[in-house]
């Protein structure tokens, strides 16, 4: 009643799913507004669907994968269809099999997506999750990650949740990413229709009063009349509180044994079918039985059917549990803990721990030890959020001292992989108050700094961590070295090159007597800073030395050592070594379905491929890095992914997308950071300069130059600016201002001897040359060095500058040759604005226009491009789906679009088309 529009929206979602257009919808509203009724309507309307339904439970918010286990249980027979890494991860997490090694917390999410897609191959699937605000976080992550990556499957996902303020912060973040359908109060005519359909014999005057009190809330309209006029409170109370009072009066009318049995049911916090396994044994321990629940069934407080026993509404449970005395609640939890002990199994041990904690008043080491063991099991299942809560509860029940401090630190460690780093430092502070043990204090400070440096306050955390490292160095040299290496890495990423180099050098001195296995994390950071600083031979020697130890490290480690080493090789302009390490890291993460690691790896690989000239791959990797960083909750990686994507889009001439992503990158950071400088560099070079707005470009490059001067940053591996500013000033008719940036560039080139820097310096000499002969010599030298660097975009820019100069000198034949080379390379890259300039210069030189080859990257969406690249490398649809965390149907959908757009008919043609758009070897 009164929900015609909302019902129509749900039918549209279901109809689209039948046609192979997956969709997700979040139904929101206050308590009693009718969310569950809308969910019921969806189930009733989905006549040809397989229904997967679960509801969150207030007592299960801290039980890892509790909701997901119930939701996916009907699909266990499809588990063999999943890739092995996903199958093992899902079986271990949901207690369907042994715990598997490898992967991260989103491996289970990727497996959920694949399992749902497999179910939809047989018939359309409707996934329904009610009371989402009470879901455990791991289940929430898995369900929403899967829902957001559905595309061409016959799947509809409907979630129902209370208003945002009623959900925990991490849940709000996930729920905020999907479309919402907000249920408004019932209009008065619909309210009268509902009341009349449930006649009470009351007068119209009293019913009108009840309608006014209900504020259009359907549950209130139905429940207030049941309790009589004398029970309704006079004072203005929220609808939820009024309903709890209403249910409370019905509960107190039950026999005492029924109230005790209801309390055990309220405390069990599980799905209806748990009754046989846990509820009945717990009732027996309390001297009760299922018979004691029958009066509550008769009065409508509980429902007993073929699915089991459940409350009529979650507010019944809340009213019952809150009205019970603390002693009675503890007794119920003790009985349930004992029942779970007899049940056995990893999941049962975890639940037993929760009930033991709820049954305890003060410190209880035995209960704390049980919770500690359950936390370790949660870590094995990649349930890091659950593990963090278990360790926290264990610490709370641990007597003061060293053991409590250790458990608090263990909880803090889980804040990183769980994506809840805002809680980590508070846990560490609590741990430090518990003990004076110097070793534990050192570990706590090191972890505090690491969390802070990656959690939104990098400068403060860096400075405090460095001071602590210097203080403890005489007693704890290894800890001091590791802390300082982390400081150096973060400092380098912030653009403060000199400080990073100094700190990394000091860290390396602390491990001179240590075996390489211990020293590798420190030496790799030192190698990176030496490479950035232009000490190429020393950096290369260190990277080669670390190679054996590096390959012994877990590629799925959150230390990201493969990425550090790859960036070192890239700084030396040895992309083959960098690509080998990055592709190994990406391949390992994809094979393990470790989606949470990929944002970091893909954004670095995107930068490498952009410089190497495979812009199609770079665009695809950057887009996926951004999507996965948002979908996996790694908000600290979002700005880097945004600016990387904006840089590539600018080069391709996707100006609107570039500016949107650049603005988002700036908004996601505070102050003048390296992100802002990278944005200015991208906008200046790839938009303003490419499109002929030289004056505007100079302003951007000058901003980057000021940032680099302020931070003593001269490294063009992180920020190119001096050569670009020289070119912009020359094109703006201001060559007299170009000497200062040229001198900076020339000094860097002489110091580092990197081929690209030397080439760009020579190009700038050509632009500033006083005579044609000097210009010819400078451009010839530049092109020779470009041949060593293998960075085709910079080489094409030099050909363009040279061709433009030759045309102005009326040396048309030579100009055409240079401009044709530039145009061909820009076309291959997909650098549209630069290609337009080159072709315009060719026409001005009198050359006959030739057909222009458009790169696939200019015709396909990022997702289509990504799928095309994986399939072109020989992957089947199923293999591509596993690699990209999509379903085979979505792969097929994107492939069909790709074939149509590119005019292809086979995978062989696709492979050739993708290969034609990539740089040639050497």
């Amino acid at each position: 009643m009164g929900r015609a529009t909302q019902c129509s929206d749900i039918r549209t979602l279901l109809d689209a799913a039948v046609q192979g257009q997956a969709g997700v919808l979040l139904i929101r509203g206050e308590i009693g507004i009718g969310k569950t009724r809308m969910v019921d309507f969806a189930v009733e309307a989905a006549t040809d669907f397989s229904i997967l339904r679960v509801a969150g439970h207030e007592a299960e918010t801290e039980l890892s994968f509790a909701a997901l286990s119930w939701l996916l249980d009907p699909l266990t027979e499809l588990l063999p269809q999943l890739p092995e890494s996903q199958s093992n991860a899902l079986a271990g997490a949901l207690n369907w099999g042994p715990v598997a090694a490898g992967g991260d917390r989103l491996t289970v999410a990727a497996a959920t997506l694949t399992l749902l897609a497999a179910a939809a191959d047989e018939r359309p699937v409707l996934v329904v999750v009610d009371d989402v605000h009470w879901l455990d976080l791991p289940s929430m992550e898995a369900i929403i990650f899967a829902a957001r990556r559905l595309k061409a499957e016959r799947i509809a996902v409907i979630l129902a949740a209370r208003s945002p303020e009623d959900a925990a912060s991490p849940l709000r973040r996930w729920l905020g990413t999907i479309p919402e359908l907000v249920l408004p109060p019932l209009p008065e005519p619909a309210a009268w229709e509902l009341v009349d359909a449930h006649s009470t014999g009351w007068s119209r005057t009293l019913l009108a009063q009840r309608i006014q009190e209900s504020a259009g809330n359907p549950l209130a309209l139905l429940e207030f009349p049941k309790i009589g006029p004398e029970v309704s409170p006079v004072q203005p109370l929220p609808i939820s509180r009024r309903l709890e009072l209403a249910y409370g009066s019905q509960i107190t009318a039950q026999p005492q044994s029924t109230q005790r049995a209801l309390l055990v049911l309220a405390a069990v916090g599980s799905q209806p079918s748990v009754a046989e396994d846990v509820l009945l044994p717990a009732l027996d321990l309390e001297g009760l039985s299922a018979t004691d629940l029958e009066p509550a069934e008769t009065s409508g407080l509980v429902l007993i059917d073929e699915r089991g026993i459940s409350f009529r509404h979650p507010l019944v449970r809340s009213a019952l549990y809150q009205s019970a005395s603390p002693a009675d609640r503890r007794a119920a939890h003790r009985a349930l803990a004992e029942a779970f002990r007899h049940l056995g199994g990893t999941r049962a041990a975890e639940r037993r721990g929760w009930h033991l904690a709820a049954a305890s008043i003060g410190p209880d080491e035995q209960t704390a030890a049980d919770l500690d063991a359950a936390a370790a099991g949660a870590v094995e299942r990649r349930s890091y959020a659950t593990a963090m809560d278990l360790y926290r509860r264990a610490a709370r029940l641990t007597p003061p001292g060293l053991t409590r401090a250790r458990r608090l630190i263990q909880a803090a460690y889980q804040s990183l992989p769980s994506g809840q780093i805002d809680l980590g430092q508070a846990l560490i502070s609590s741990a430090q108050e518990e003990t004076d043990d110097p070793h534990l204090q050192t570990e706590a400070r090191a972890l505090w700094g690491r969390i802070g440096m990656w959690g939104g306050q990098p400068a403060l955390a860096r400075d405090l961590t460095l001071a602590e490292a210097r203080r403890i160095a005489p007693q704890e040299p290894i800890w001091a070295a590791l802390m300082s290496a982390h400081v150096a890495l973060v400092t380098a990423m912030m653009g403060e090159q000199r400080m990073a180099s100094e700190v990394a050098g000091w860290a390396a001195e602390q491990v001179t007597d240590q075996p390489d296995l211990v020293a590798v994390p420190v030496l790799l950071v030192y190698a990176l800073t030496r490479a950035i600083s232009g000490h190429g031979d020393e950096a290369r020697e260190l990277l080669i030395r670390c190679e054996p130890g590096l390959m012994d490290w877990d590629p799925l480690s959150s230390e990201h050592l493969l990425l550090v080493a790859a960036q070192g090789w890239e700084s030396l302009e040895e992309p083959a070594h960098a690509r080998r390490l990055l592709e190994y890291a990406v391949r390992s993460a994809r094979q393990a379905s470790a989606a949470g690691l990929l944002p970091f790896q893909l954004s670095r690989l995107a930068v490498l491929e952009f410089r190497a000239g495979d812009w199609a791959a770079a665009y695809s990797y950057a887009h996926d890095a951004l999507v996965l960083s948002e979908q996996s909750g790694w908000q600290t990686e979002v700005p880097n992914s945004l600016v990387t994507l904006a840089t590539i889009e600018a080069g391709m001439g996707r100006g609107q997308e570039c500016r949107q992503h650049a603005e988002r990158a700036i908004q996601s950071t505070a102050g003048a950071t390296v992100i802002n400088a990278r944005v200015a560099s991208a906008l200046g070079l790839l938009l303003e300069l490419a499109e002929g707005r030289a004056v505007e470009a100079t302003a951007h490059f000058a901003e980057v130059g000021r940032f680099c001067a302020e931070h003593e940053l001269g490294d063009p591996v992180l920020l190119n600016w001096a050569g670009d500013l020289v070119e912009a000033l020359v094109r703006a008719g201001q060559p007299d201002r170009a000497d200062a940036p040229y001198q900076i560039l020339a000094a860097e080139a002489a110091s580092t001897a990197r081929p690209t820097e030397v080439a760009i310096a020579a190009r700038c000499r050509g632009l500033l040359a006083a005579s044609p002969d000097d210009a010819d010599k400078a451009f010839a030298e530049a092109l020779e060095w470009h041949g060593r660097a293998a960075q085709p975009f910079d080489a094409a820019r030099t050909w363009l500058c040279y061709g433009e100069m030759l045309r102005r000198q009326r040396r048309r034949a030579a100009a055409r040759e240079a401009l044709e080379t530039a145009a061909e390379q820009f076309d291959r890259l997909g650098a549209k604005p630069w290609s337009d300039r080159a072709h315009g210069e060719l026409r001005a030189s009198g050359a006959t226009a030739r057909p222009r080859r458009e790169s696939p990257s200019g015709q396909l969406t990022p997702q289509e491009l990504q799928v095309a690249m994986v399939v072109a490398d020989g992957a089947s649809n199923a293999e591509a789906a596993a690699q990209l965390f999509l379903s085979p149907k979505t792969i097929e959908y994107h492939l069909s679009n790709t074939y149509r757009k590119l005019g292809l008919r086979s995978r062989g043609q696709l492979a050739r088309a993708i290969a034609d758009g990539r740089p040639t070897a050497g």
Side-chain angles (χ1 to χ4, degrees):
M1 298 177 182
R3 300 291 190 222
T5 300
Q6 291 80 10
C7 289
S8 176
D9 290 341
I10 290 175
R11 288 194 186 95
T12 299
L13 182 75
L14 296 175
D15 291 343
V18 171
Q19 300 301 317
Q21 300 175 33
V24 57
L25 186 64
L26 172 63
I27 301 174
R28 273 206 185 272
E30 66 174 355
I31 296 171
I33 201 66
K35 300 181 296 296
T36 299
R37 183 65 195 96
M38 296 305 300
V39 165
D40 291 339
F41 169 79
V43 171
E44 294 163 5
T47 54
D48 297 324
F49 285 66
S50 296
I51 307 297
L52 299 174
R53 184 170 185 174
V54 73
H57 199 291
E58 189 175 8
E60 291 190 331
T61 57
E62 294 169 321
L63 294 176
S64 61
F65 297 115
L68 190 68
S69 177
W70 291 106
L71 182 71
L72 300 183
D73 188 65
L75 306 181
T76 52
E77 71 278 2
L78 300 178
L79 202 60
Q81 297 185 27
L82 273 62
E84 184 177 5
S85 63
Q86 294 185 7
S87 175
N88 291 341
L90 194 63
L94 304 189
N95 208 28
W96 295 347
V99 174
D104 71 351
R105 77 184 199 279
L106 291 182
T107 306
V108 176
T112 299
L113 167 65
T114 308
L115 191 66
L116 291 174
D121 284 340
E122 299 178 5
R123 60 186 301 192
V125 172
L126 173 60
V127 177
V128 174
V129 186
D130 202 357
D131 290 327
V132 172
H133 47 276
W134 281 334
L135 251 59
D136 60 280
L137 184 58
S139 291
M140 168 72 76
E141 288 182 332
I143 292 168
I144 294 187
F145 180 90
R148 291 182 66 189
R149 295 186 75 82
L150 294 169
K151 178 69 175 181
E153 299 76 20
R154 296 185 300 167
I155 299 175
V157 180
I158 296 179
L159 314 176
R162 292 181 187 172
S163 303
E165 56 270 18
D166 292 324
S169 176
L171 297 184
R172 286 200 299 270
R173 185 190 73 211
W174 283 93
L175 292 175
T177 63
I178 54 179
E180 287 189 3
L181 175 65
V182 179
L183 295 183
L186 286 180
E188 187 171 338
W192 275 109
E193 186 180 357
L194 181 62
V195 169
D196 288 340
H198 297 77
S199 177
T200 62
W202 288 11
S203 70
R204 304 297 284 179
T205 301
L206 190 53
L207 285 176
Q209 178 184 342
R210 289 295 178 261
I211 288 175
Q212 183 177 6
E213 290 176 354
S214 72
N217 186 290
L219 184 61
L221 282 167
L222 295 176
E223 295 297 336
F224 284 178
K226 294 181 181 179
I227 61 177
E230 71 283 353
V231 180
S232 179
V234 176
Q235 66 271 32
L237 293 174
I239 291 294
S240 59
R241 180 58 180 148
R242 290 189 177 203
L243 288 168
E244 285 186 355
L245 290 172
Y247 291 134
S249 66
Q250 297 176 62
I251 291 167
T252 57
Q254 303 298 312
Q256 194 64 32
S257 61
T258 299
Q259 292 184 47
R260 290 175 56 212
L262 286 171
L263 179 58
V264 177
L265 177 62
V268 73
S270 195
Q271 300 298 317
S273 60
V274 81
E276 294 182 6
D277 296 329
V278 176
L279 178 61
L280 296 183
L283 289 175
D284 185 61
L285 289 169
E286 288 286 279
L288 303 167
S289 69
T291 304
D292 292 301
L293 291 170
E294 290 178 355
E297 180 188 22
T298 301
S299 63
L301 288 172
V302 300
L303 303 175
I304 302 177
D305 53 26
E306 68 279 358
R307 295 180 300 166
I309 307 172
S310 61
F311 288 105
R312 180 171 87 237
H313 191 276
L315 282 179
V316 178
R317 177 197 177 275
S318 296
L320 182 89
Y321 192 82
Q322 297 303 323
S323 64
S325 70
D328 287 343
R329 289 200 295 263
R330 288 194 294 271
H333 284 295
R334 276 194 296 271
L336 288 165
E338 184 65 16
F340 275 113
R341 184 177 71 83
H342 290 292
L343 193 60
T346 305
R347 181 62 56 76
E350 187 177 304
R351 296 185 183 214
R352 177 173 178 266
W354 289 121
H355 286 295
L356 284 172
S360 300
I361 300 177
D364 183 339
E365 176 53 33
Q366 182 57 56
T367 299
D370 289 341
L371 285 168
D372 188 282
V379 171
E380 287 185 345
R381 295 200 313 280
R382 306 174 193 86
S383 304
Y384 302 113
T386 297
M388 184 174 71
D389 286 332
L390 283 164
Y391 279 126
R392 288 169 65 190
R393 287 177 180 259
R396 197 175 303 136
L397 295 176
T398 303
L402 190 62
T403 303
R404 178 187 282 182
R406 286 199 179 105
R407 285 169 177 161
L408 286 168
I409 288 177
Q410 284 300 316
Y413 272 116
Q414 310 315 314
S415 70
L416 284 164
S418 71
Q420 299 184 76
I421 54 180
D422 54 325
L423 300 177
Q425 289 179 316
L427 290 166
I428 292 169
S429 297
S430 298
Q432 290 175 305
E433 295 173 359
E434 288 293 329
T435 179
D436 294 328
D437 181 81
H439 297 291
L440 205 60
Q441 286 285 345
T442 296
E443 183 179 359
R445 293 188 182 102
L447 181 57
W448 184 94
R450 182 179 177 189
I451 291 173
M453 283 185 281
W454 295 109
Q457 45 183 337
L460 173 63
R462 176 199 64 186
D463 294 344
L464 293 176
T465 301
L466 182 58
E468 178 65 15
R470 297 291 171 90
R471 187 187 69 81
I472 67 171
Q475 296 78 34
E476 300 275 5
I478 295 178
W479 268 115
L482 292 171
M483 292 164 69
S484 298
H486 211 91
V487 165
L489 181 60
V490 171
T491 302
M493 297 303 101
M494 291 169 64
E496 300 180 27
Q497 173 180 317
R498 181 171 297 178
M499 179 181 177
S501 183
E502 291 174 354
V503 173
W506 184 86
E509 292 173 2
Q510 310 307 306
V511 294
T512 52
D513 298 329
Q514 299 296 328
D516 282 358
L517 184 61
V518 174
V520 160
V522 177
L523 295 179
L524 281 175
V525 175
Y526 185 45
L528 172 60
T529 61
R530 300 308 282 167
I532 288 175
S533 303
H535 298 82
D537 292 340
E538 186 180 358
R540 188 175 293 103
E541 182 180 333
L542 284 167
L543 289 169
I544 293 172
R545 172 184 168 185
C546 290
E547 182 80 7
L550 174 64
M551 303 314 292
D552 289 336
W553 276 73
D554 181 4
L556 305 180
S557 166
S558 61
E559 299 296 330
H560 296 299
L561 293 187
L562 288 169
L563 273 63
V564 176
Q567 192 160 351
W569 284 114
E570 187 180 356
S571 298
L572 295 174
E573 290 199 6
E574 298 193 25
H577 289 297
R579 183 179 290 104
R580 171 177 57 85
L581 295 175
L582 287 173
E583 289 181 344
Y584 172 56
V586 170
R587 185 167 60 252
S588 299
R590 290 201 187 282
Q591 288 174 349
S593 294
L597 295 176
L598 281 168
F600 304 91
Q601 300 164 347
L602 289 173
S603 62
R604 274 64 175 183
L605 189 55
V607 172
L608 175 69
E609 296 296 6
F610 182 69
R611 289 174 175 156
D614 193 348
W615 285 18
Y619 183 47
S620 169
Y621 293 146
H623 181 271
D624 205 30
L626 174 60
V627 171
L628 285 172
S629 63
E630 293 175 328
Q631 293 183 351
S632 62
W634 275 113
Q635 297 303 309
T636 53
E637 180 60 16
V638 169
N640 182 63
S641 299
L642 281 166
V643 75
T644 299
L645 182 57
T647 300
I648 298 165
E649 288 169 334
M652 298 169 71
R654 297 174 180 257
Q656 182 177 355
E657 297 97 320
C658 167
R659 288 189 169 88
Q660 288 174 348
H661 289 134
E663 182 63 26
R664 284 184 57 198
I666 292 173
Q667 290 174 352
S668 63
T669 58
T673 69
V674 71
I675 293 293
N676 299 47
R678 288 175 63 194
V679 166
S681 179
L683 295 177
L685 169 63
L686 299 173
L687 282 183
E688 310 295 4
L689 191 59
E691 296 177 359
R693 295 187 290 271
V695 174
E696 291 85 347
T698 59
H700 286 297
F701 296 136
E703 178 184 342
V704 181
R706 286 191 294 271
F707 175 87
C708 291
E710 179 183 345
H711 293 83
E712 300 178 327
L713 177 64
D715 170 41
V717 173
L718 292 178
L719 285 169
N720 295 306
W721 69 275
D724 298 327
L725 181 54
V726 169
E727 181 179 343
L729 288 168
V730 170
R731 294 185 181 280
Q734 306 172 43
D736 53 308
R737 294 177 52 200
D739 184 63
Y742 170 73
Q743 293 302 328
I744 293 174
L745 173 63
E748 285 290 327
S751 171
T752 66
R754 292 191 189 95
T756 296
E757 283 179 79
V758 177
I760 293 174
R763 178 211 296 162
C764 291
R765 281 203 310 277
L767 289 171
L768 297 171
S771 69
D773 286 344
D774 289 343
D776 285 340
K777 290 177 182 178
F779 278 114
E781 181 184 347
L783 293 170
E784 179 185 352
W785 280 99
H786 280 309
R788 306 181 195 182
Q791 295 198 17
F793 177 59
D794 284 307
R797 286 181 61 195
T798 296
W799 280 113
L800 177 61
C801 289
Y802 190 32
E804 289 173 329
M805 185 200 73
L806 292 170
R807 187 184 68 78
R808 289 193 300 270
Q809 295 173 358
R810 300 185 182 280
R811 298 157 64 183
R812 293 194 171 186
R816 289 170 188 165
E817 181 180 352
L819 292 169
E820 284 175 354
T821 302
E824 181 180 353
Q825 291 189 15
F826 287 138
D827 286 346
R828 181 180 289 275
L829 290 169
K832 187 178 185 304
W834 295 87
S835 174
D836 290 345
R837 277 186 53 191
H839 283 282
E841 287 287 330
L842 271 172
R843 288 191 297 271
S845 72
T848 303
R850 58 177 176 80
R852 296 171 62 176
R853 178 180 59 187
E854 186 175 2
S855 167
S857 61
Q859 303 174 65
L860 304 178
T861 68
Q863 191 80 81
E864 290 165 354
L865 185 58
Q866 185 181 52
V867 169
M869 288 169 51
V870 173
V871 172
D873 285 339
S876 67
N877 284 9
E879 291 168 340
Q883 287 186 44
L884 301 178
F885 309 111
L886 300 170
S887 74
K889 287 286 188 185
T890 295
I891 296 294
E892 181 181 337
Y893 170 83
H894 288 307
L895 271 182
S896 297
N897 287 341
T898 298
Y899 287 162
R900 175 178 53 79
K901 290 180 179 181
L902 300 184
L904 306 176
R905 295 185 178 181
S906 69
R907 290 179 179 242
Q909 290 178 330
L910 176 64
R912 288 191 292 274
I914 295 298
D916 286 344
R918 287 182 162 175
T920 56

